[in-house]
Amino acid sequence: MSMRLRLALLPLVALPLAALAQEADPGPERVGPRLAAASNFGQGWLPGLAEAALADGLTDFRDAVYWRNVERGGHVAFDSAVTAWPDAVAADGGTLSLTVNNGHPEHDGGHTPHTDAGIAAFAANAAATVARFPNIHTVEVGNEWNAANFVSGPVLEDGLDRRAWHHMRLLAETSARVRAVRPGLRVLGGATHSIPGPYIAELLALGARRHMDALAIHPYTTPVEQLGPHIDFLRRLPGAEGIDLEVTEFGHAGSDADAADHLLRSWCQFALAGVSRAVWYPLHPRGDGLAALYTREGVRTVVGDAHALIRAELAGETVTDAAPDPFTHACALGPAEAPRHLVIWGAPRDVWLAPGLMARDATGAALPAEGLTLSDRALLISAPGDGAARLGDTVRLGSQRVLADSYEQYDFPREAGAQAPGDPFERYARAGARRIALDTRPGQDRNGVPWFPHRGAAEDAGLWMTSDTLVLARWGDTPLEIVHRHVAPAPVEAVLEARLAPVARSEDGVTVRIAVDGGPVLVDETLREERVYALPVRLAEGAALEIAVGPGGTARGDVVGYRFTLRRP
């Protein structure tokens, strides 16, 4: 697995839940974010690739001009292909955000700058670079400092608890220096791997907003459909009210077709969350398994097709959340009364289009208008001329069969131990007869947990859940089950589709018990490999369907993928 996608295990002080009580600031009118690409020209100039991307209309790059290549023996020169490359892209209209993060062998032992002199030299180099290249529109200070692979020396050794303090020192000095030579230059801070609440909250508490125009995040570990709740959580952190966000890295490890779809769905979610700019990683293959926009020779991939389509037709359009229910995701783009485009995906059902409307996949490939169905892949529906792609009018959907879904309706309680608003499932742990709350946890707050908001037990860091994963535990001889309990608001006959997938390293599998209170036990067994159940259930009003997943004789390796869906037959 790529270092960028790995869930690391570093400690950080937990953020008090009371600090998250306020509602997120919805911010200004939403527009589709600008798209850029992480190009890595500072590590190796590829003129043919740059020419191909620029000819395609891709003019915004995220990259570096490395300090160690610019300054030698106190002499500063931008006189090589990897230090003067911004000039080359500027000739064809190319611009960039400059990432400044690495140390220099002549300062602070080559480690991440940490002394006053080292930080001043670092900031002076950033200022010299932006003064030299007027096509730099943004400076991004730091890169994934909440991880361990982009800092070194005393900053690394000082531990994660002090990392935000070090970042703040570098951010403040660099911001002052670059703005002195380029007033109005945009400055980004944070650049976190994932969405770690405590690290971001600490950075904001130290006053980072005074020195930056936007917070940068890299939400690699957040599932696309959870981007909204995770970013909403971020905006409820103290000091984050109304903050501008840039996603300065996102990407996908998988097939190019899957990556193209991931790009379009992510872009839609970013748009609804108020992200102003999103940077796909990488521009060309980097050897880490993430799908690129181009080959090294400049041939556009299908992921590049999706990127080009969004830039040409969608970016900058006003965006409205057009989702008709919790099980369907939809971005309407263009005037609210007559949107020109609709990006939509979700639970399967038929889709009918008015004459003249066009359906495409994420790459822009045309799809037959007849026989369209929703799925977990996005449809792009467009109206030519003066037409409108308006859901419920020119775009109609079949009836929704889903009644409840543990993935789509997963959210975070606003109070300790409470059921999340809009979630049809109570979610908690159980040790014998004792019920244990799975409260909102801010991410990277202790060892062994995700680097994004999740739910976990306050007294046991080894017991937690996300929208698609359960991590189980035992207290001595007592197994701790994670329970999903759905109370029927009205009489219902449905099918429960339950997917459970213990990972291969589970030592002895996991236990599964599915039952209706006052009624039958539907499942009571041990699983050692993935299984999908399809169980008819009949619930009276007020009856509870309970799904309990627990460890076997040991909890070693008991990590379980899951999804529970109640669907009309």
Side-chain angles (χ1 to χ4, degrees):
M1 181 181 290
S2 164
M3 282 294 291
R4 299 178 183 277
L5 300 177
R6 188 174 301 156
L7 289 179
L9 308 176
L10 293 174
L12 200 67
V13 175
L15 188 69
L17 289 174
L20 305 175
Q22 74 273 21
E23 289 301 311
D25 184 342
E29 180 184 62
R30 305 303 195 206
V31 297
R34 295 173 291 125
L35 271 185
S39 51
N40 297 101
F41 290 142
Q43 296 180 19
W45 174 236
L46 298 171
L49 171 61
E51 289 171 8
L54 289 161
D56 256 354
L58 175 50
T59 59
D60 190 0
F61 304 97
R62 175 184 184 252
D63 212 318
V65 177
Y66 288 96
W67 186 15
R68 66 176 178 270
N69 296 329
V70 170
E71 180 184 333
R72 295 185 182 87
H75 175 68
V76 173
F78 299 91
D79 57 359
S80 65
V82 293
T83 58
W85 70 266
D87 280 341
V89 299
D92 290 310
T95 64
L96 70 144
S97 60
L98 178 74
T99 300
V100 289
N101 183 71
N102 298 79
H104 191 286
E106 297 174 17
H107 301 275
D108 285 355
H111 294 300
T112 303
H114 53 277
T115 66
D116 289 346
I119 290 171
F122 176 96
N125 170 73
T129 305
V130 301
R132 171 64 180 77
F133 301 110
N135 59 328
I136 294 174
H137 58 71
T138 299
V139 172
E140 183 176 354
V141 181
N143 184 64
E144 298 184 0
W145 275 37
N146 63 306
N149 48 321
F150 289 102
V151 292
S152 65
V155 172
L156 176 62
E157 295 158 7
D158 218 5
L160 187 58
D161 292 348
R162 294 266 291 170
R163 198 75 52 77
W165 179 80
H166 285 290
H167 184 176
M168 176 62 183
R169 294 179 67 210
L170 204 66
L171 174 65
E173 183 70 15
T174 304
S175 178
R177 295 286 188 109
V178 299
R179 285 169 166 167
V181 299
R182 291 273 307 278
L185 190 75
R186 189 168 171 84
V187 177
L188 310 181
T192 58
H193 188 304
S194 305
I195 304 177
Y199 182 85
I200 294 171
E202 186 176 358
L203 191 63
L204 295 172
L206 290 167
R209 286 192 73 166
R210 296 194 303 270
H211 308 287
M212 64 185 190
D213 299 285
L215 177 71
I217 56 174
H218 302 167
Y220 284 111
T221 53
T222 293
V224 170
E225 288 73 24
Q226 298 302 314
L227 284 165
H230 287 190
I231 291 175
D232 178 72
F233 176 92
L234 185 160
R235 291 187 184 279
R236 290 189 290 117
L237 294 173
E241 301 84 359
I243 197 167
D244 190 11
L245 290 177
E246 289 198 17
V247 173
T248 54
E249 281 189 34
F250 74 113
H252 187 72
S255 72
D256 279 5
D258 287 346
D261 184 70
H262 179 88
L263 169 53
L264 179 57
R265 289 184 296 120
S266 297
W267 183 88
C268 171
Q269 298 293 73
F270 293 151
L272 294 175
V275 171
S276 60
R277 178 172 174 260
V279 183
W280 182 265
Y281 173 94
L283 180 70
H284 63 285
R286 301 291 298 161
D288 52 15
L290 275 79
L293 303 179
Y294 297 85
T295 67
R296 285 178 62 87
E297 294 73 32
V299 178
R300 194 166 80 187
T301 67
V302 296
V303 190
D305 291 341
H307 201 272
L309 173 67
I310 294 169
R311 295 195 318 272
E313 299 189 33
L314 309 182
E317 292 277 6
T318 301
V319 62
T320 305
D321 188 348
D325 56 54
F327 319 111
T328 307
H329 301 270
C331 285
L333 295 145
E337 65 280 3
R340 289 181 282 271
H341 305 280
L342 181 72
V343 178
I344 186 168
W345 71 98
R349 50 178 161 162
D350 292 335
V351 181
W352 294 280
L353 304 183
L357 266 62
M358 172 176 58
R360 291 172 286 174
D361 67 13
T363 70
L367 299 171
E370 298 296 323
L372 280 179
T373 59
L374 285 190
S375 72
D376 57 2
R377 287 186 178 271
L379 295 175
L380 173 60
I381 299 169
S382 302
D386 296 329
R390 190 166 44 243
L391 195 59
D393 180 13
T394 58
V395 180
R396 293 185 296 115
L397 303 178
S399 61
Q400 179 59 267
R401 293 174 53 220
V402 177
L403 301 170
D405 186 89
S406 65
Y407 176 75
E408 294 289 7
Q409 294 175 283
Y410 175 90
D411 203 350
F412 305 106
R414 298 298 189 261
E415 299 175 2
Q419 188 169 354
D423 190 342
F425 292 96
E426 295 178 81
R427 306 176 192 237
Y428 56 91
R430 186 168 59 199
R434 180 187 169 196
R435 181 165 162 159
I436 302 160
L438 294 175
D439 296 326
T440 304
R441 307 296 304 183
Q444 204 182 13
D445 50 297
R446 46 190 177 174
N447 287 337
V449 300
W451 287 11
F452 53 79
H454 58 283
R455 296 178 64 168
E459 61 257 65
D460 192 333
L463 180 68
W464 51 267
M465 70 182 305
T466 70
S467 60
D468 57 10
T469 302
L470 309 175
V471 178
L472 306 172
R474 292 183 70 94
W475 289 348
D477 293 333
T478 304
L480 274 67
E481 300 174 306
I482 292 181
V483 178
H484 283 68
R485 185 172 184 266
H486 172 70
V487 178
V492 65
E493 291 189 19
V495 173
L496 171 65
E497 296 175 2
R499 172 189 171 271
L500 289 162
V503 299
R505 67 177 182 275
S506 176
E507 188 165 306
D508 57 0
V510 300
T511 63
V512 182
R513 181 179 172 86
I514 305 175
V516 177
D517 64 358
V521 174
L522 305 176
V523 174
D524 190 358
E525 63 182 358
T526 297
L527 283 186
R528 290 179 171 82
E529 58 186 18
E530 180 176 358
R531 181 163 178 184
V532 179
Y533 301 94
L535 306 169
V537 295
R538 177 178 294 174
L539 300 175
E541 181 178 351
L545 172 68
E546 184 177 282
I547 308 162
V549 183
T554 174
R556 286 192 290 272
D558 284 350
V559 178
V560 189
Y562 78 100
R563 185 166 182 173
F564 309 132
T565 304
L566 272 175
R567 194 184 308 271
R568 292 188 179 91

